[in-house]
Amino acid sequence: MAKKTAKPVKRVNPVKAAKPAPRPAKKPVAVKAAKAAKKYIYSFADGKAEGDRTMKDILGGKGSGLAEMTNAGLPVPPGFTISTAACNLWYAEGRRLPQAIEDEMTAHVRKLEQVAGSQFGSTSNPLLVSVRSGAKFSMPGMMDTILNLGLNDAAVEGLKARTSNGRFAYDSYRRFIQMFGNVVLEIPKEKFEHEFEAVKHAHRAKIDTDLGEDGLKETVARYQALVRKETGKPFPQDPVQQLKAARDAVFRSWNNDRAIKYRRMYDIPDHIGTAVNVQKMVFGNSGERSATGVGFTRNPATGENRFFGEFLVNAQGEDVVAGVRTPRPIDELKDVMPKAYKELRAITARLEKHYNDIQDFEFTIEDEKLYMLQTRSGKRTGYAAVVIATDFVAEKRMTPRDALLLVEPAALSQLLSPVFDPAEWKKLPVATRGLPASPGAASGQVVFTSEHAVAWAEQGKKVLLVRKETAPDDIHGMEVAQGILTATGGMTSHAAVVGRQMGRPSVVGASALRIDEKAKVCAVGDQTLKEGDWLSFDGLTGEVKIGKVATRPSEILQVLAGEMQPQQSDIYRRFSTLLGWADKVRTLGIRANADQPDQSELAYAFGARGIGLCRTEHMFFGEGRIEKVQRMILADNEQDRRAALAELLPLQRGDFYGVFKAMHGEPVTIRTIDPPLHEFLPKREDLMVDIAKLEARGGDAAELAGKKTLLHRVEQLHEFNPMLGHRGVRLGITYPEITEMQARAIFEAACQLAKEGLKVLPEVMIPLVGHVKELRDQKLIVDRVAAEVMKEQQVRIKYLVGTMIEVPRGAVTADEIAQEAQFFSFGTNDLTQMTFGFSRDDIGKFLGVYQERKILDRDPFQSIDTVGVGQLVAMAVEKGRRTRPDIKLGVCGEHGGDPSSIHFFHKVGLKYVSCSPYRVPVARLAAAHAALSVKVGD
Ligand code: ADP
Ligand code: MG
Ligand code: MG
C-alpha cells in the first residue's frame, strides 16, 4: 500500500484521460460524489441499500436499480455492487485491484453471508451468488454474467441436502461450471455442449430436463475433466477465488469485441467501465412451483399500454432470453401462480410510477415467492417512444416537458421509414407468422449469416437477415439488414431487443421456419428458400411472406404529402403533438439544407422555418443544364462566358423562385458557387478514351476537335488539391460575372415574388471566406446587382449578405469579417476538414484505427469535435458579436442534424441549425432537449 502511494509516476489511464464526449443528458440527475469517501463497494440488503437511483455512474444501471428497489422495500435478493471506479482502477493498475479493495470485498462477502444466513462452501446451507455485469448504459448481452457461483464438490452436496433435490443441485453445478468455464476460463461453449450431448445420448435423454441426477453428476464430472484438460488445472473449488476470477472476467468483458462494437454504435464512451453486482442466488429452476421471467410494463414495440412479458416454469434466468425453450406469455402466469402474478403486477406498476418511465424488469419465483432481479427503463422503438410519451401526458403522469425527454431525438427517424403498400401486401399469401418484435416493413434478399449481410449490403443489395436466433456478435449484420427474422426466441430475445433499439423491423420466433444455416437454405411449409431469394415481413403484425413487396412512405410522410388526413393517422397526430411541445421549449431555430423546390416544401412540412443552405451548384446538374455550365467553364474569354451565363440565368431564377415560394417568406440562404470547376467537366481519363476511339475509327472531325478542346481545358483546370484549390469565393473573385449572374437570378426571383405580394427574405452567402477583403470584393458585386435589379423591377426587398465560416482563418478573424458579413453560417464540414487537416473523403482509411486506439471517440464529421473545431465556432461567435451585436448565426454543416452537436450549438448561442429535410424532426426535438438541459452560455 505504502509503496503504491510513493510511486512517483502514475500510469495514465488512456481510457480515463479521454474526455467524455458530451451526450445530451437524458434526465437531469444529481450525481453523488463517491470518490471522496474512497468507497468502491455498495451493499443492498434487507430493505436498505448504500446506493440509489442517482448513482448510475458509479453503480451502473443494474446496480442502481437493485439499490433503488431494495430501498423501496421490494423483494430483492441481497448483495453488493462493485463500482465502475473499481473497474477503471483495475484496468489502470494492470488488471488487478489494490489490496484495500480486495479487503473491502471480503468484508462485504462476510456481511452477505450474515444477511443471507448461509456460507460460501457450506455443506449444509451454501451461499450461492450471481456475478453480474452492469454498465451505466445497458448493453444487452454484450458483457458476461455468471450464475450459481459458490458451488464446489462439497457445496453441491449441501445444496442437495438443503433442497432435498439432487437433480436441481447438480443441474445448478453443471450450469455454473459451464458458465465459469466459458466466461472466466475462456473454454469454447461448444466443448461443454459436446460433453453434455454425449451424456444425454448415453442416457437416451432428448431434452435437458430428461436427464436425472445421475446424468447430471456424470456431466459435472466430464465438465471438470474438460476444464483440467483445457487449463491444466482442476476446477477452482474455493468460492472466494471463484468470485475474484468471475469479477475480473466481468471487468474484462467490458473490452470484448462485441461490447466495443456496441459502444461505437451507440456512442457510449469507452472510459466509463462496468460495475459488477454480486447477488445471492434465488432459484427459478428448483421445481414446478418456481419460474423465471422478464417483462415490460408496456409494449416496447408499439407503446400500447398493456403488461407485456414472458416466463418459463422451472427455469433459470438465462433460459428465457437464450431462445432455447420458447417462453410463455406472461398472462398465463396468472393461472399458474396467481399470487406471485398479482404481486408482480403491483410491483411493476409501482416501479413505472416511481421511475416515471416504462420499466423492463426481470423476476424469479422460487417456491411461489417472487423476487425482483432487475429494473430499468425499457428500450423501445421510436414508434413506441412517441406513443408512450404522449400517453403519459394524456394520463396526467407528467408534463409535456418531461415527456419530451422520454424520446431520443434520433429515434424519430424510425417513424419516417417505409410501410408496405396494403394492396401489394395482400397479393401474397402468408407463409408463416412470428412474434411482432419491432415494427416496420422489411423486404429483402435472404442471407443467413451476418458476414454475408454485410458483404451483400456493401454491394448495394437489400438483405433480410434470417437466423435461428441472433447472438451479440450479429449486430453488424443486423445493422445493415432491412429486417431481422428468427425462428426461435421470444419478444425479449436478443434479436427482438436489439432490433427494436436499432429501429430495424424484426419478427422473431417464427418457429415454422426450418433454417439450415450451414447449407444456407430455409424451408417453410413445402417451400424452400435459398440465399438471395426475396422475403418480406411486417414487424407490426408478425406476418412473413415469400417474395418482394413494394413499400411506400410511412403514414407521417403520407399525411405531410396530403395523401392522408391527419385524423386518419394516430401516429401522425402524436408525432406532431410531441414536436409541437418541442417547438415551445426550444430556442434554436431549425432550417433545412435544400436546393430544390420540392425538397424545400418537404422541409417546410417537417417544420423547418427557413433554408440554411441552398447549394446553387446542385442546380447546375439538372437536365439540360450541364452543357451550358460546361460552355461557361470552357469559355476562354469574358464575353463567351457571359453569353453562357446568360443562358443559365433564367434557369437559376426559376429554381430560386420555387425555393423562395416553398419557404413562405422564411429566410432562404443561397450560397454562391462553391466547388472547383472541374467537378462539372468530364473526367480526363474518359475523354482520352473517347478521343482514342474516335481517332481509331476515323470518327467525326468536329466531334474529335470538340473533345480535344475539352481535354485541353480539363488539363488546364486540373488541380493537385482541389478541395484547397480554385473554389468558393476564389471563383467569384476570378470570375466576377458568375457572382453577378447568380445575384441577378436571386434578386430577380425575389422581386418577382414581392410583386406577386409574397414575402421573401434572401440571404446571399459567400463560401470559403478566410479574409475580410474576399468578402468585401463579393459583397460589392451583390449589393450593386441587388440595387440594379430592384431599380429595374421597381420593388424594394430586404436581404442580407453574409458568409460561411469554414476556413480556420475565417473563424480566427471573425471580428474583421463581421465588418462586412451580416450573418455567419458555420460550414462545419469544411471547418472540421481544415481544422483537423482530415480529408473528408479519405478519413475512412484511418478513422477505425483512431477509434480503436481511442485517439478519437467519434467521427468528427458526424458529431462535432467540441474541444477543437467547436472552439473555433465559439470564438467566431464571440468575435462576430463583438463587431456586430445583431449578427445572425447559424450552422449548415452535416452536424446541424446531429443531436449531440445540436446540444453544443445551443450552448454556444447560435440562432439556428440547418440540416437535411428528413432530419428536421430530429433537430426540433434535439433542440428542445438541449434547451431543457443546458443554458446558452453555460
Ligand atoms: P443481463 O444483463 O445479460 O440480463 P443479468 O446479470 O441480468 O445479465 O443476468 C442474467 C440472467 O440471470 C437474468 O435472467 C437474471 O434474471 C438472472 N439472474 C441474475 N442474478 C440472479 C440471481 N441472483 N438469482 C437468480 N437469477 C439471477
Ligand atoms: Mg438482465
Ligand atoms: Mg464548404
Side-chain angles (χ1 to χ4, degrees):
M1 218 19 228
K3 222 172 98 197
K4 211 148 254 160
T5 24
K7 225 193 261 174
V9 256
K10 195 169 180 318
R11 196 178 342 201
V12 179
N13 177 359
V15 185
K16 237 176 162 175
K19 263 220 167 156
R23 317 169 34 100
K26 276 205 189 120
K27 264 177 208 162
V29 268
V31 175
K32 278 194 187 159
K35 196 171 58 189
K38 277 273 182 257
K39 186 174 167 60
Y40 288 93
I41 305 180
Y42 296 76
S43 74
F44 51 93
D46 283 346
K48 274 221 321 272
E50 293 177 311
D52 61 38
R53 67 189 282 188
T54 64
M55 295 168 67
K56 274 193 184 175
D57 287 301
I58 304 162
L59 303 180
K62 198 177 286 170
S64 96
L66 289 168
E68 187 80 2
M69 287 197 291
T70 302
N71 283 329
L74 302 183
V76 177
F80 55 86
T81 303
I82 305 169
S83 72
T84 55
C87 172
N88 288 329
L89 199 57
W90 184 80
Y91 276 108
E93 302 274 318
R95 303 195 165 213
R96 55 193 301 277
L97 283 180
Q99 190 55 41
I101 302 183
E102 294 288 6
D103 295 344
E104 196 180 343
M105 187 170 94
T106 314
H108 276 273
V109 168
R110 295 286 99 86
K111 197 174 145 198
L112 180 59
E113 285 180 330
Q114 264 171 26
V115 290
S118 51
Q119 286 76 44
F120 260 160
S122 159
T123 49
S124 57
N125 189 12
L127 170 66
L128 304 190
V129 296
S130 60
V131 179
R132 317 172 64 187
S133 55
K136 176 177 182 187
F137 304 104
S138 99
M139 300 167 53
M142 295 300 141
M143 290 182 294
D144 296 318
T145 280
I146 293 165
L147 303 181
N148 308 330
L149 184 137
L151 280 173
N152 55 26
D153 297 347
V156 67
E157 284 297 326
L159 185 62
K160 176 178 168 180
R162 182 173 76 75
T163 57
S164 328
N165 188 343
R167 188 194 179 279
F168 158 71
Y170 278 92
D171 187 43
S172 300
Y173 198 17
R174 165 194 78 83
R175 287 171 188 259
F176 172 51
I177 300 175
Q178 182 163 348
M179 260 190 243
F180 190 94
N182 178 238
V183 172
V184 182
L185 306 173
E186 301 184 309
I187 302 170
K189 273 191 194 124
E190 297 77 48
K191 298 206 171 173
F192 287 103
E193 252 135 48
H194 183 75
E195 299 296 327
F196 196 34
E197 284 307 316
V199 178
K200 282 205 283 191
H201 188 75
H203 287 253
R204 298 183 198 287
K206 275 212 200 76
I207 54 172
D208 300 8
T209 42
D210 291 343
L211 219 53
E213 182 179 345
D214 285 349
L216 290 162
K217 258 189 186 156
E218 201 179 316
T219 311
V220 164
R222 279 180 174 251
Y223 278 9
Q224 291 192 338
L226 176 67
V227 167
R228 199 169 304 118
K229 187 172 139 234
E230 293 285 323
T231 65
K233 279 183 260 174
F235 185 75
Q237 293 288 313
D238 173 9
V240 172
Q241 205 191 323
Q242 291 173 353
L243 178 59
K244 285 184 183 174
R247 173 199 67 200
D248 292 353
V250 172
F251 285 157
R252 194 171 65 211
S253 73
W254 173 253
N255 276 329
N256 68 32
D257 284 349
R258 51 179 206 257
I260 291 172
K261 264 189 209 160
Y262 187 90
R263 290 200 291 275
R264 271 307 105 70
M265 211 176 273
Y266 292 101
D267 272 348
I268 298 173
D270 286 329
H271 73 274
I272 59 175
T274 182
V276 179
N277 301 285
V278 178
Q279 187 176 27
K280 183 189 166 202
M281 283 302 299
V282 289
F283 300 99
N285 56 334
S286 67
E288 296 303 309
R289 292 167 57 230
S290 299
T292 183
V294 296
F296 289 82
T297 51
R298 301 184 186 213
N299 185 319
T302 64
E304 191 193 357
N305 186 4
R306 242 187 96 186
F307 196 57
F308 179 91
E310 290 162 331
F311 75 104
L312 278 171
V313 168
N314 197 7
Q316 195 162 60
E318 310 274 57
D319 300 350
V320 181
V321 278
V324 183
R325 273 165 73 188
T326 300
R328 299 163 66 175
I330 200 141
D331 283 344
E332 293 179 16
L333 186 65
K334 211 184 313 180
D335 308 323
V336 186
M337 296 172 201
K339 205 179 123 264
Y341 176 80
K342 223 176 120 203
E343 195 187 353
L344 181 66
R345 288 297 303 257
I347 287 176
T348 53
R350 207 176 128 196
L351 285 171
E352 193 189 85
K353 269 226 166 78
H354 184 71
Y355 280 100
N356 240 333
D357 196 5
I358 65 159
Q359 294 299 297
D360 164 358
F361 53 85
E362 289 173 6
F363 65 93
T364 281
I365 300 168
E366 182 178 335
D367 294 333
E368 309 250 348
K369 164 121 186 60
L370 174 72
Y371 294 95
M372 297 305 295
L373 291 173
Q374 192 169 331
T375 193
R376 62 177 173 215
S377 283
K379 291 203 159 85
R380 67 209 78 175
T381 60
Y383 193 98
V386 171
V387 170
I388 290 162
T390 46
D391 273 355
F392 275 5
V393 174
E395 293 165 22
K396 304 225 175 345
R397 297 263 301 265
M398 56 173 62
T399 62
R401 292 166 78 91
D402 289 334
L404 285 171
L405 295 172
L406 286 184
V407 185
E408 280 290 335
L412 286 181
S413 7
Q414 290 170 29
L415 276 72
L416 307 177
S417 59
V419 296
F420 286 124
D421 184 326
E424 292 298 312
W425 182 240
K426 270 195 206 119
K427 283 184 191 159
L428 292 179
V430 176
T432 184
R433 256 173 238 275
L435 300 169
S438 178
S443 194
Q445 291 177 276
V446 171
V447 288
F448 296 100
T449 64
S450 286
E451 293 76 63
H452 281 207
V454 171
W456 288 40
E458 269 168 9
Q459 295 165 24
K461 291 181 183 161
K462 291 189 166 178
V463 297
L464 275 194
L465 182 61
V466 178
R467 294 183 64 74
K468 272 188 196 146
E469 64 200 26
T470 60
D473 42 359
D474 280 321
I475 43 176
H476 268 34
M478 298 170 79
E479 196 185 30
V480 298
Q482 303 295 309
I484 302 140
L485 175 64
T486 67
T488 61
M491 290 290 275
T492 50
S493 62
H494 180 265
V497 171
V498 178
R500 276 197 289 276
Q501 187 186 8
M502 287 180 170
R504 209 60 82 246
S506 311
V507 168
V508 300
S511 49
L513 297 176
R514 297 184 306 279
I515 301 171
D516 186 340
E517 282 165 9
K518 278 228 179 76
K520 298 204 172 14
V521 290
C522 162
V524 49
D526 50 9
Q527 305 194 63
T528 303
L529 288 164
K530 298 181 303 302
E531 189 173 60
D533 288 347
W534 282 82
L535 194 72
S536 304
F537 69 75
D538 183 341
L540 197 61
T541 62
E543 289 173 334
V544 181
K545 301 187 176 189
I546 295 173
K548 183 177 175 177
V549 180
T551 55
R552 64 175 195 172
S554 75
E555 280 189 11
I556 288 168
L557 285 173
Q558 290 181 52
V559 174
L560 291 181
E563 289 154 14
M564 209 173 161
Q565 291 304 308
Q567 307 86 273
Q568 292 173 290
S569 171
D570 175 64
I571 192 65
Y572 171 79
R573 290 200 309 277
R574 291 173 183 272
F575 176 81
S576 72
T577 302
L578 185 90
L579 288 177
W581 295 335
D583 293 345
K584 287 211 184 95
V585 168
R586 67 179 162 91
T587 54
L588 266 180
I590 309 292
R591 297 193 187 185
N593 298 344
D595 318 318
Q596 310 285 339
D598 54 342
Q599 282 175 8
S600 312
E601 305 268 14
L602 179 68
Y604 191 86
F606 272 137
R609 292 297 172 261
I611 299 284
L613 177 62
C614 173
R615 302 170 170 94
T616 51
E617 62 274 8
H618 282 194
M619 299 169 167
F620 288 168
F621 287 101
E623 252 202 65
R625 297 182 176 191
I626 190 71
E627 301 79 31
K628 297 188 174 67
V629 176
Q630 289 181 349
R631 217 172 318 136
M632 165 190 81
I633 298 170
L634 292 175
D636 50 15
N637 61 71
E638 187 184 326
Q639 199 185 354
D640 287 356
R641 191 153 44 240
R642 280 189 184 280
L645 284 166
E647 286 185 48
L648 284 168
L649 174 68
L651 301 174
Q652 286 237 298
R653 185 173 57 218
D655 293 331
F656 295 146
Y657 178 88
V659 172
F660 284 140
K661 201 164 179 177
M663 268 302 130
H664 308 276
E666 301 290 345
V668 174
T669 307
I670 297 171
R671 177 177 72 184
T672 53
I673 192 167
D674 182 51
L677 291 179
H678 70 76
E679 284 194 12
F680 302 104
L681 297 176
K683 285 210 163 47
R684 178 169 175 266
E685 294 70 27
D686 295 347
L687 280 171
M688 286 165 72
V689 171
D690 288 352
I691 290 169
K693 276 188 190 156
L694 278 170
E695 278 174 344
R697 71 176 138 84
D700 184 55
E703 195 186 344
L704 185 60
K707 294 260 183 198
K708 281 190 170 166
T709 322
L710 198 52
L711 177 62
H712 180 64
R713 190 72 177 129
V714 166
E715 281 171 345
Q716 273 184 335
L717 286 172
H718 171 78
E719 292 181 305
F720 291 100
N721 199 341
M723 285 313 273
L724 300 177
H726 193 182
R727 58 174 287 221
V729 66
R730 302 154 203 173
L731 282 173
I733 288 172
T734 45
Y735 302 122
E737 52 281 5
I738 299 181
T739 308
E740 260 172 42
M741 181 280 284
Q742 293 200 300
R744 178 162 279 278
I746 292 168
F747 290 108
E748 285 183 356
C751 287
Q752 191 180 334
L753 280 156
K755 281 201 266 186
E756 291 168 20
L758 298 173
K759 209 181 135 200
V760 272
L761 209 93
E763 299 175 345
V764 182
M765 177 160 77
I766 311 297
L768 225 66
V769 166
H771 197 296
V772 62
K773 288 182 189 167
E774 289 174 317
L775 180 59
R776 191 168 298 147
D777 177 286
Q778 294 292 288
K779 188 165 187 260
L780 277 173
I781 299 177
V782 175
D783 284 338
R784 172 171 53 77
V785 174
E788 280 167 19
V789 173
M790 287 193 272
K791 193 162 167 219
E792 286 160 23
Q793 307 270 330
Q794 293 295 304
V795 273
R796 291 210 61 78
I797 49 160
K798 273 200 192 137
Y799 69 94
L800 300 178
V801 182
T803 183
M804 273 175 96
I805 298 289
E806 54 185 337
V807 175
R809 193 182 188 285
V812 173
T813 61
D815 45 350
E816 289 183 12
I817 291 179
Q819 290 163 7
E820 297 294 329
Q822 294 168 292
F823 67 85
F824 287 166
S825 177
F826 291 95
T828 51
N829 301 346
D830 266 310
L831 193 59
T832 299
Q833 173 159 269
M834 295 196 215
T835 302
F836 272 106
F838 287 161
S839 153
R840 209 187 337 166
D841 307 305
D842 301 310
I843 190 175
K845 296 211 168 74
F846 52 85
L847 179 64
V849 177
Y850 267 52
Q851 289 186 312
E852 254 162 52
R853 307 257 169 91
K854 306 200 165 76
I855 293 169
L856 286 179
D857 269 350
R858 298 195 264 184
D859 177 353
F861 288 101
Q862 268 174 27
S863 204
I864 191 148
D865 157 48
T866 55
V867 181
V869 181
Q871 292 315 303
L872 283 176
V873 174
M875 175 203 265
V877 165
E878 206 259 314
K879 289 192 165 202
R881 284 221 175 100
R882 219 186 295 149
T883 305
R884 191 186 287 263
D886 66 342
I887 192 164
K888 257 185 150 175
L889 300 163
V891 57
C892 62
E894 287 301 311
H895 300 101
D898 168 62
S900 68
S901 308
I902 290 174
H903 202 80
F904 176 78
F905 298 136
H906 170 83
K907 208 165 108 173
V908 298
L910 299 193
K911 282 234 94 53
Y912 70 86
V913 295
S914 188
C915 57
S916 77
Y918 282 91
R919 293 296 286 185
V920 166
V922 174
R924 284 164 76 189
L925 184 56
H929 279 203
L932 288 172
S933 57
V934 62
K935 280 212 202 86
V936 174
D938 263 8

